[in-house]
Amino acid sequence: MTVAVQLENVYKIYNNVPVVNDLSFTIKAGEMFGLLGPNGAGKSTTIRMLTTLTQPTQGQIEVSGYNVVRQPIRAKQCIGVVLQQVSVDGDLTVWENMELHGRLHHIANPQRQRLINQWLEYVELVTRRNDLVKTLSGGMKRRLQIARALLHQPQILFLDEPTVGLDPQTRRRLWEIIRDLNKQGMTILLTTHYMDEVEYLCHRIGIMDGGKLISLGTLQQLRSAHGEGLVMKQIGDRWEYLFFPTVEDANLYLNQQEDKTGMMVRPSNLEDIFVELTGRKLD
Ligand code: ADP
């Protein structure tokens, strides 16, 4: 197994508070890994450390075998980054944004123009290449960010909440792009608020809360660990959730109840597990 990303006992402490607290996990080359968690869980801080934007207070981080603190330039050459804040320059054209990034990465012409064209074509922005970025829609800007992040041919792509604030069609289009990149061999780490995004895209899921990784595995592993069967019980105006190893076990429990009013059985999903683990809904 080739390791793409490795964190070992990583801490980030702000004002004596550990916002990332003893985080350790590994992402394999070619994997699509989703980091899920409520607001303030420490997801963005983790991405910022992985992408050399801020240093860990303690612990080791390697991307593509390079230590992000000791070899930040090497590490940066191997990664593409799309952060939450739209970081493309609205007063430059689409092409100028790509050109600037290409020059910053010392990609020489004619390869630079070839790659700019290739990636603009890939994200379907060729026809907008001479338009100012401020005239693009939110989804187009996000696609441009992705094209730009791919220009220097990274092996690992970091996406911090890639579809936040986008309409459903645009989200799905981005999902297709992200999935296709992964199929081509790109290792991807994404953070998100959205359960459906993780379920659709990610091979493995890490759930963070309070700076800690509180669960890690494939969706099926998480379901096996926390219970695949669920009994929902309506009590007044709220629902109580009871987890069972299997749906059959949940049905057995339901059948044993004298009063089945307001009760139903269904397979558990990621959102059920998330709420069970973190004790609150995502906003
Ligand atoms: P998430 O991305 O999961 O919403 P963040 O990593 O953005 O979480 O934030 C985790 C915690 O760290 C929050 O409580 C946030 O207020 C705090 N935090 C993030 N950056 C800083 C900073 N530069 N200085 C102080 N506290 C910060």
Side-chain angles (χ1 to χ4, degrees):
M1 176 188 91
T2 313
V3 173
V5 176
Q6 185 157 34
L7 295 92
E8 276 179 63
N9 309 108
V10 172
Y11 289 80
K12 182 70 188 183
I13 298 173
Y14 286 121
N15 313 319
N16 294 324
V17 180
V19 301
V20 171
N21 192 343
D22 198 16
L23 195 61
S24 301
F25 65 89
T26 298
I27 302 175
K28 289 174 281 185
E31 199 174 10
M32 176 108 75
F33 187 92
L35 210 48
L36 188 69
N39 267 337
K43 306 181 297 295
S44 296
T45 306
T46 301
I47 278 216
R48 290 174 58 79
M49 289 191 287
L50 288 169
T51 55
T52 77
L53 293 172
T54 186
Q55 290 197 359
T57 312
Q58 206 179 305
Q60 299 288 323
I61 301 179
E62 283 188 8
V63 293
S64 284
Y66 297 113
N67 184 289
V68 294
V69 176
R70 290 198 302 272
Q71 301 159 292
I73 295 171
R74 291 262 187 203
K76 266 192 270 192
Q77 284 165 349
C78 302
I79 61 175
V81 187
V82 177
L83 294 179
Q84 257 178 66
Q85 311 82 353
V86 175
S87 53
V88 280
D89 191 330
D91 290 322
L92 298 182
T93 66
V94 166
W95 177 80
E96 284 166 344
N97 268 280
M98 296 291 280
E99 173 73 5
L100 183 63
H101 185 84
R103 287 189 188 202
L104 287 174
H105 276 271
H106 308 292
I107 307 168
N109 273 334
Q111 196 199 13
R112 189 167 72 235
Q113 300 315 312
R114 188 179 61 73
L115 287 169
I116 290 174
N117 285 335
Q118 174 191 321
W119 289 115
L120 286 183
E121 235 164 72
Y122 182 70
V123 300
E124 296 173 23
L125 282 176
V126 171
T127 56
R128 307 297 298 258
R129 58 182 288 136
N130 296 321
D131 294 352
L132 291 180
V133 166
K134 62 185 169 195
T135 66
L136 302 184
S137 69
M140 287 175 186
K141 282 187 192 140
R142 200 54 56 90
R143 280 179 358 231
L144 175 58
Q145 276 182 289
I146 292 175
R148 194 184 57 172
L150 295 168
L151 194 61
H152 57 284
Q153 300 175 289
Q155 294 138 29
I156 309 171
L157 186 61
F158 292 94
L159 302 166
D160 194 10
E161 310 223 0
T163 65
V164 78
L166 301 177
D167 63 58
Q169 287 83 350
T170 311
R171 287 183 74 209
R172 295 212 169 243
R173 177 73 194 99
L174 273 178
W175 286 1
E176 297 309 329
I177 290 175
I178 293 168
R179 210 179 206 186
D180 187 60
L181 283 170
N182 179 247
K183 282 212 181 105
Q184 292 177 35
M186 180 80 70
T187 307
I188 298 179
L189 180 145
L190 64 88
T191 73
T192 185
H193 266 60
Y194 302 119
M195 304 291 162
D196 54 350
E197 192 152 291
V198 179
E199 284 183 328
Y200 185 78
L201 289 174
C202 298
H203 303 130
R204 277 197 312 149
I205 305 159
I207 301 182
M208 275 187 89
D209 196 20
K212 284 186 173 291
L213 197 64
I214 57 170
S215 204
L216 176 70
T218 62
L219 177 58
Q220 189 46 47
Q221 285 167 343
L222 297 188
R223 288 189 65 228
S224 301
H226 298 284
E228 293 181 20
L230 194 72
V231 174
M232 290 174 67
K233 201 173 184 176
Q234 193 168 21
I235 303 172
D237 60 356
R238 63 179 193 86
W239 289 89
E240 192 179 274
Y241 294 82
L242 300 171
F243 283 83
F244 291 86
T246 64
V247 174
E248 290 74 48
D249 293 329
N251 273 317
L252 214 60
Y253 172 86
L254 182 70
N255 289 336
Q256 285 163 356
Q257 305 306 304
E258 278 181 18
D259 181 7
K260 300 183 180 60
T261 325
M263 294 174 82
M264 64 174 276
V265 168
R266 64 169 173 79
S268 65
N269 60 34
L270 185 58
E271 182 161 353
D272 301 321
I273 293 165
F274 183 87
V275 174
E276 177 76 5
L277 286 175
T278 63
R280 56 182 170 262
K281 279 254 175 202
L282 292 175
D283 57 14

